[in-house]
Amino acid sequence: MTSTSADVPALWAVRRSSTGTRISSAALLAAGVALFAVPFGFAAGVVQQLTTLFIFMILAVMWNALAGYGGQVSVGQQAYLGSGAYATIFLTQHAVPPYLAVLLAAVASALLAVLLAPLLLRLRGGQFAVGSWVVAETLALLVALDADLGGGTGISLRGLNAYAPNLRRAYTYWITLAILLLLLGLVVYLLRHRMGVALQAIRDDEDAAAALGVRTGPLKFGLFVLAGFGCGAAGALTLANTLFIQPQSIFGVQWTAYMIFMVLVGGIGTFEGPILGAILFFLLQQQFAQYGAGYLIGLGIIAAGFALYLPRGLWSLPADRLHLRLLPVGYHLQRRVARPSARRSDV
């Protein structure tokens, strides 16, 4: 009795989706749609806090896309937050309706990224990180010198005073949620497309990726502009949510520190991790932000602890132990169920 290789079934198969990911994807989509009803059933304070949480999620997802998938570790993303916020002020001063100004400000931040990309994308590693920070500081100084934008003392978004407070909070909430869902959808599309694989190859070794035929320049450019758009939208929405900004605060490097914390604690290079990190950061901020410097020191200690003892973040715990994946992004190996096969005998 002998058997041939055709009688032996493959034990492993490469899969992108499964029944579990399809169910969880549908559930997450339904939850995202259901969240639009929150302003109808919850108090104004809850609506405003959820808006803040969604802004944190936008920032975490964008920084993770930039650094976790593309390897572009920026400490200057506050440049686009500030540009988005102040572009909103500038547009409303020129008779643009405030919520239209918010959307146009996000586009303006993307255009700023287009202008800065030829300069910054020439840099790598620490040079890129420092260069992006220098750009943010330069923009902060320029805005502080502009009296029409409030100078160093800050400025209010007066255009939203035309809306009743509850209506204003609801509109800001809906726009924030819509932009968050849009950006999440774009990231899912990116990860399911071959561009996502190419970007991760660039992250791991840009020179090797280029040698294999990956067009590193256009891919890095596109990701850089996407992150500029997302962070610009977050800055404009922060202004719409708080109604007041100052150059020192909106251009402050603490914003990038928050992004790094959320991504590092949640799980860099994963889709779900930054969202989980944003929720944790939001809860910590709600409980301990009043402690000032002690709060920031605590965040640093927590981030250092995760870097040392759980470098893949919180999401690695359920992902590794339960093999949990919420969305069909990337590829994974799945063990096939072996089926008995009839053996042939050679006479």
Side-chain angles (χ1 to χ4, degrees):
M1 301 282 289
T2 62
S3 61
T4 65
S5 59
D7 298 319
V8 182
L11 297 179
W12 299 92
V14 178
R15 295 283 187 267
R16 168 167 281 182
S17 63
S18 63
T19 302
T21 57
R22 286 190 288 269
I23 293 174
S24 60
S25 298
L28 289 174
L29 181 60
V33 173
L35 283 171
F36 280 97
V38 165
F40 297 110
F42 290 86
V46 174
V47 174
Q48 191 163 16
Q49 288 180 352
L50 283 177
T51 303
T52 301
L53 173 59
F54 295 158
I55 292 172
F56 288 157
M57 287 182 179
I58 290 172
L59 293 174
V61 169
M62 288 295 95
W63 198 87
N64 181 60
L66 193 64
Y69 295 127
Q72 302 175 44
V73 180
S74 169
V75 294
Q77 289 307 106
Q78 63 272 16
Y80 306 101
L81 268 88
S83 65
Y86 276 98
T88 304
I89 294 291
F90 177 82
L91 290 169
T92 55
Q93 288 177 343
H94 290 78
V96 177
Y99 285 113
L100 176 59
V102 166
L103 300 178
L104 293 177
V107 176
S109 296
L111 293 177
L112 175 64
V114 170
L115 296 176
L116 294 175
L119 171 65
L120 292 178
L121 293 184
R122 293 176 180 269
L123 308 176
R124 295 190 187 181
Q127 293 179 335
F128 176 80
V130 173
S132 60
W133 173 75
V134 169
V135 167
E137 291 298 307
T138 302
L139 290 175
L141 289 173
L142 292 175
V143 169
L145 294 173
D146 192 332
D148 292 335
L149 295 178
T153 59
I155 193 169
S156 298
L157 183 59
R158 298 188 181 92
L160 288 182
N161 291 334
Y163 298 86
N166 287 342
L167 192 59
R168 172 180 57 79
R169 293 188 188 95
Y171 284 159
T172 304
Y173 171 89
W174 285 325
I175 293 176
T176 306
L177 178 57
I179 291 177
L180 172 61
L181 294 178
L182 171 65
L183 293 173
L184 289 174
L186 289 174
V187 172
V188 169
Y189 172 78
L190 181 67
L191 294 179
R192 287 181 59 84
H193 194 272
R194 62 183 180 181
M195 290 187 296
V197 178
L199 282 169
Q200 292 174 72
I202 295 172
R203 174 197 63 192
D204 296 337
D205 192 326
E206 183 173 345
D207 293 329
L212 292 173
V214 176
R215 300 178 62 195
T216 60
L219 288 172
K220 291 173 61 178
F221 176 83
L223 191 64
F224 186 78
V225 173
L226 174 63
F229 172 84
C231 291
L237 292 166
T238 298
L239 171 62
N241 197 36
T242 61
L243 299 180
F244 181 81
I245 51 170
Q246 291 177 305
Q248 299 91 336
S249 60
I250 198 67
F251 283 103
V253 73
Q254 77 274 4
W255 284 103
T256 292
Y258 296 159
M259 295 182 222
I260 295 173
F261 176 88
M262 291 184 284
V263 174
L264 181 64
V265 169
I268 189 170
T270 65
F271 181 85
E272 300 88 351
I275 298 174
L276 182 61
I279 295 173
L280 177 61
F281 173 72
F282 172 77
L283 295 175
L284 290 173
Q285 188 185 65
Q286 293 296 311
Q287 294 297 322
F288 304 110
Q290 67 269 23
Y291 294 106
Y295 162 70
L296 296 176
I297 293 172
L299 290 181
I301 293 173
I302 293 172
F306 271 88
L308 290 172
Y309 301 109
L310 196 62
R312 294 175 56 220
L314 286 173
W315 182 250
S316 66
L317 298 176
D320 291 346
R321 295 181 182 180
L322 304 176
H323 303 288
L324 182 61
R325 297 170 66 246
L326 297 182
L327 292 171
V329 294
Y331 297 90
H332 68 286
L333 285 175
Q334 181 176 351
R335 191 178 183 89
R336 286 179 172 174
V337 178
R339 295 180 179 177
S341 59
R343 292 181 179 272
R344 296 181 302 184
S345 59
D346 294 337
V347 180

